[in-house]
Amino acid sequence: MWSSNVSTDGELSISGITAANLAKEFATPAFIMDEADFRARAISWDQALKSGFGENAGTVYYAGKAFICTEVARWIKDIGIGIDVCTGGELAVALAGGVDPSKIEVHGNNKSLAEIDRAVSVGVGTIVIDSLYEIERVAASATKHGRVQRVLLRLTPGIEAHTHESIATAHEDVKFGFSIVSGAAWKAIEAVRAHASIELRGFHAHIGSQILDTDSFEISAERLIALLAKYRDAFGVELPELGLGGGYGIHYLPGDEELVPSVVMQALATAVDTNCALHSLSVPKIAIEPGRAIVGPTMFTLYEVGTVKDVTLENGDNRRYISIDGGMSENIRPALYAAEYTAVLANRTSNAALISSRLVGKHCETGDILIRDIALASDIAPGDLLATPATGAYGRSMASNYNHLPRPPVIAVKNGKARVIVRRESEADLLGLDI
Ligand code: LLP
């Protein structure tokens, strides 16, 4: 929930810096990021992959869509893991951060010709192919640049992952990849093999996000490995790589579970070993793409309370609305996925009685609700600070300028020092787009 260097004992602080001091120096709303925690999480996924799969451990690709900026790309480079990008913009940031192109994997169900061409020309390690068109497009670009581009095929193993329907990605009725059961995957395999400028390295599946059990990952591995065996039987060679995607869930609320890297990787390694043995296949190099599980818990959002309003409901009950200075523009997840968060009073402690409250943003929408029902101190007043943990993944990265709100900055904290790594947008930034 909170990152490792946050203390909620008394006034909230991170690495010794109080919430009040952060607000004074950087203003609110702001994403506060625990750099040491980010690095530790990235490293622990890398180590878990290595200890689970040993010599068959491939690459951990950090899923940049969860949150990426140039400084974070530099950390990724420093740590030595790879990065998964799914647009030209994400690719540009990874390159700006100095990530070795061979450690970049490119995703996307509708990569533009320009995106493909840039990826091929800079020499990205892997392109994950999502459609028959793309096979031709990547092959043409690779021919043009005189390269052989390594590719994986994105497959849908037909799994109903236990998560919100908007973030499940591997059942049949989705826009992503090639279905194994329908035979689309086999057609794609044959199409790839017809091109000398692309080299099929293996298969890939990403079954969804915020998944909290290991079963779906194991079933996915089982189905992909069965296809690897079918490939070997048909063509007499084994494909050397298998991408198992990301999706490992984190805890948002007290009492929530999260997937522990060593536990998931051990379970996956067992599933992979068993299924490879079943088909007498050598174990391919296994790659994973955690996004949320690396960055999610590393940030909290710091808000200032602007108004407190009591509303009498039809049944006579009171509802307290506490408005903060952000909302659905920097955290769309509650509105989009009914995602639940918690919040704490951050600038002081309070012994006042708790009162059932609704935390809302400042947007012109009734649905601009950050937390539907939360017990907060009844003396919370304008000027107080509230902090929402676990907003690192799909928070700043999905932020919008709705109502012309400038997007908040990201402040990285490490060893008692706080610095801006993404600055706050200004009205000038917003007006700068208008002709
Ligand atoms: N790999 C692929 C191919 C993906 O599409 C994704 C996420 C990931 C890896 C990383 O998944 P993670 O480990 O972060 O769960 N906006 C939604 C989540 C959408 C996920 C999209 N793809 C949310 O806020 O919950």
Side-chain angles (χ1 to χ4, degrees):
M1 218 194 17
W2 295 100
S3 65
S4 55
N5 295 296
V6 169
S7 163
T8 51
D9 209 15
E11 180 180 352
L12 186 137
S13 65
I14 172 165
S15 190
I17 310 179
T18 63
N21 280 337
L22 288 167
K24 197 153 45 162
E25 186 169 356
F26 302 106
T28 57
F31 288 96
I32 312 295
M33 182 174 200
D34 188 332
E35 177 178 344
D37 195 60
F38 180 95
R39 289 174 179 269
R41 285 178 168 273
I43 291 168
S44 79
W45 281 98
D46 196 38
Q47 284 173 346
L49 182 75
K50 291 192 168 104
S51 54
F53 290 93
E55 59 174 6
N56 300 314
T59 305
V60 173
Y61 295 99
Y62 168 61
K65 67 206 82 185
F67 174 72
I68 191 70
C69 66
T70 309
E71 180 64 4
V72 167
R74 288 186 200 109
W75 301 347
I76 295 294
K77 175 189 175 202
D78 221 37
I79 295 162
I81 61 172
I83 223 172
D84 140 19
V85 301
C86 66
T87 61
E90 289 180 2
L91 175 59
V93 180
L95 294 172
V99 177
D100 179 347
S102 71
K103 293 205 153 170
I104 299 178
E105 177 193 60
V106 181
H107 270 289
N109 68 301
N110 184 16
K111 307 169 188 78
S112 71
L113 293 181
E115 286 171 329
I116 290 171
D117 209 54
R118 180 154 191 220
V120 172
S121 70
V122 301
V124 300
T126 307
I127 296 182
V128 184
I129 301 245
D130 197 283
S131 69
L132 291 175
Y133 297 101
E134 213 173 80
I135 294 172
E136 307 306 316
R137 292 169 185 167
V138 174
S141 174
T143 303
K144 178 177 124 194
H145 293 287
R147 290 178 180 271
V148 174
Q149 178 63 53
R150 293 182 161 191
V151 302
L152 299 179
L153 285 178
R154 167 106 182 223
L155 306 181
T156 43
I159 289 167
E160 303 281 345
H162 306 294
T163 187
H164 189 279
E165 72 167 327
S166 307
I167 54 178
T169 49
H171 43 295
E172 289 299 316
D173 190 6
V174 282
K175 67 175 180 172
F176 298 107
F178 301 96
S179 153
I180 298 178
V181 282
S182 77
W186 201 256
K187 286 204 182 82
I189 287 169
E190 286 169 341
V192 171
R193 285 178 55 88
H195 292 280
S197 63
I198 44 181
E199 180 192 351
L200 181 61
R201 299 286 295 173
F203 304 140
H204 175 283
H206 169 75
I207 57 175
S209 199
Q210 185 58 14
I211 294 171
L212 289 165
D213 62 287
T214 58
D215 309 3
S216 328
F217 293 109
E218 292 166 32
I219 300 169
S220 172
E222 178 188 328
R223 296 186 183 167
L224 295 175
I225 290 167
L227 196 68
L228 286 175
K230 187 174 165 194
Y231 185 97
R232 185 261 333 265
D233 295 345
F235 304 112
V237 281
E238 295 186 351
L239 292 172
E241 293 178 29
L242 189 59
L244 294 177
Y248 315 109
I250 62 165
H251 58 178
Y252 284 93
L253 301 178
D256 276 0
E257 300 165 64
E258 76 174 341
L259 285 181
V260 177
S262 57
V263 174
V264 201
M265 287 304 113
Q266 203 46 61
L268 267 182
T270 306
V272 167
D273 286 350
T274 311
N275 285 286
C276 286
L278 185 72
H279 297 285
S280 311
L281 269 179
S282 24
V283 176
K285 286 253 188 284
I286 303 296
I288 55 166
E289 300 157 355
R292 187 191 315 264
I294 291 179
V295 74
T298 69
M299 289 192 217
F300 65 85
T301 314
L302 191 60
Y303 298 108
E304 186 178 301
V305 173
T307 71
V308 177
K309 190 187 281 182
D310 285 324
V311 171
T312 307
L313 307 180
E314 267 174 26
N315 64 4
D317 287 356
N318 179 62
R319 172 146 17 246
R320 173 156 295 186
Y321 279 90
I322 300 178
S323 300
I324 43 86
D325 49 357
M328 64 197 304
S329 54
E330 95 292 312
N331 190 351
I332 189 65
R333 300 192 69 258
L336 205 51
Y337 315 116
E340 294 185 285
Y341 288 85
T342 184
V344 299
L345 177 60
N347 55 313
R348 62 185 175 90
T349 54
S350 168
N351 292 321
L354 297 178
I355 182 168
S356 157
S357 309
R358 181 165 283 183
L359 203 62
V360 295
K362 62 180 281 149
H363 292 278
C364 300
E365 285 208 31
T366 306
D368 178 26
I369 297 170
L370 204 59
I371 302 177
R372 196 159 277 279
D373 191 14
I374 178 169
L376 285 172
S378 50
D379 64 350
I380 287 178
D384 273 328
L385 300 175
L386 295 180
T388 308
T391 54
Y394 309 104
R396 181 61 178 74
S397 76
M398 290 176 78
S400 75
N401 293 119
Y402 184 36
N403 295 137
H404 268 56
L405 241 98
R407 290 176 296 173
V410 180
I411 312 298
V413 180
K414 193 180 164 203
N415 296 336
K417 290 205 170 53
R419 66 197 169 109
V420 178
I421 60 168
V422 178
R423 72 163 168 80
R424 184 182 300 284
E425 260 176 344
S426 63
E427 280 177 10
D429 290 326
L430 300 181
L431 288 168
L433 298 173
D434 291 357
I435 307 302

